[in-house]
């Protein structure tokens, strides 16, 4: 795990399974329909139990970049913040702004609920095919913007399932900080 400070925000970059996180909230890379799918969404739903899927479905459909909150049910995390990241087409369809919105809206929701810690997966970089290098740059810029006014939020974990993703995160953040 690598720990960095972004203004007063503690950022932890780690290779792990997000369903094990004990932060106040974990973020789910969901779809607009809010129908539990595969990838991290599937893993979170399996670990949380069937009540999560019922709560999730009731809140759909949502817009790309929007974020909504449910309980965490059987997860160690108290809440799940669900966001629909953009599907990558060619980069000319506002994908970059939409990915930034997914992160910023999730963080603002955590702040509104007076949470202190939140964990993110690498939204949109799986089956939605967002280029990893560009995604990591957007995450860094969005967290930097949020760190100006983080409210109650003190700790942000960037939780990567595979080592390739984790290495790209570590290198980019180390270069910038
Ligand atoms: N913990 C942390 N990260 C994980 C885990 C885990 N347990 N499992 C997978 N990842 P993806 P997307 C990583 O495809 O691209 C679903 O069907 C994975 O390795 O889960 O936003 C939804 O319902 C990758 O780095 O999300 C949507 O329909 C990252 O999570 C669609 O996929 C994101 O990969 C969303 O696609």
């Amino acid at each position: 795990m690598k720990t960095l400070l972004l203004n007063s925000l503690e950022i932890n970059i780690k290779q792990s399974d997000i369903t094990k996180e004990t932060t106040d909230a974990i973020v789910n890379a969901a779809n607009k329909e809010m129908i539990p799918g595969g990838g991290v969404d599937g893993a979170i739903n399996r670990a949380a139990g069937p009540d999560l899927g019922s709560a999730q479905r009731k809140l759909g459909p949502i817009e790309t970049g929007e974020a909504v909150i449910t309980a965490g049910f059987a997860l160690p995390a108290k809440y799940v913040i669900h966001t629909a990241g953009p599907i990558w087409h060619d980069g000319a369809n506002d994908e970059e702004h939409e990915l930034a919105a997914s992160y910023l809206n999730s963080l603002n929701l955590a702040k509104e609920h007076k949470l202190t810690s939140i964990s993110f997966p690498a939204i949109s970089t799986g089956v939605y095919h967002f280029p990893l290098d560009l995604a990591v740059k957007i995450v860094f810029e969005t967290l930097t913007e949020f760190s100006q006014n983080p409210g109650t939020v003190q700790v942000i974990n960037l939780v990567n399932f595979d080592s390739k993703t984790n290495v790209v995160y570590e290198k980019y953040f180390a270069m910038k900080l």
Side-chain angles (χ1 to χ4, degrees):
M1 185 168 89
K2 277 233 159 49
T3 301
L4 306 150
L5 271 184
L6 207 49
N7 293 313
S8 63
L9 268 185
E10 178 183 322
I11 312 289
N12 298 302
I13 298 171
K14 59 176 172 176
Q15 188 183 352
S16 185
D17 175 354
I18 203 167
T19 65
K20 310 278 192 253
E21 288 289 295
T22 56
T23 42
D24 292 335
I26 64 170
V27 175
N28 181 17
N31 50 60
K32 290 200 290 182
E33 294 72 30
M34 292 283 280
I35 296 167
V40 72
D41 191 4
I44 290 171
N45 271 279
R46 280 191 298 279
D51 289 344
L52 180 67
S54 311
Q56 191 175 335
R57 284 168 198 268
K58 279 188 196 134
L59 295 177
I62 61 171
E63 299 290 328
T64 303
E66 196 180 342
V68 293
I69 190 165
T70 66
F73 301 98
L75 290 165
K78 229 174 288 155
Y79 299 98
V80 179
I81 292 175
H82 307 260
T83 186
I87 299 170
W88 180 265
H89 294 291
D90 53 7
N93 294 280
D94 220 26
E95 292 99 326
E96 294 185 42
H97 286 120
E98 288 173 344
L99 188 65
S102 275
Y103 280 91
L104 205 54
N105 287 328
S106 298
L107 288 164
N108 283 331
L109 205 47
K111 194 163 114 177
E112 279 167 32
H113 284 77
K114 304 217 178 326
L115 308 186
T116 59
S117 57
I118 180 170
S119 302
F120 283 93
I123 300 167
S124 286
T125 66
V127 299
Y128 281 1
H129 292 299
F130 202 104
L132 182 57
D133 289 345
L134 184 55
V136 174
K137 173 177 175 279
I138 292 166
V139 173
F140 180 81
E141 288 169 359
T142 307
L143 298 193
T144 301
E145 183 187 337
F146 182 75
S147 73
Q148 311 296 324
N149 192 7
T152 51
V153 178
Q154 296 171 358
V155 176
I156 300 175
N157 292 347
L158 302 173
V159 182
N160 303 307
F161 203 51
D162 58 284
S163 67
K164 181 179 150 258
T165 301
N166 203 54
V167 165
V168 173
Y169 263 91
E170 284 188 355
K171 281 197 177 149
Y172 191 85
F173 277 67
M175 181 182 81
K176 289 286 178 178
L177 292 169

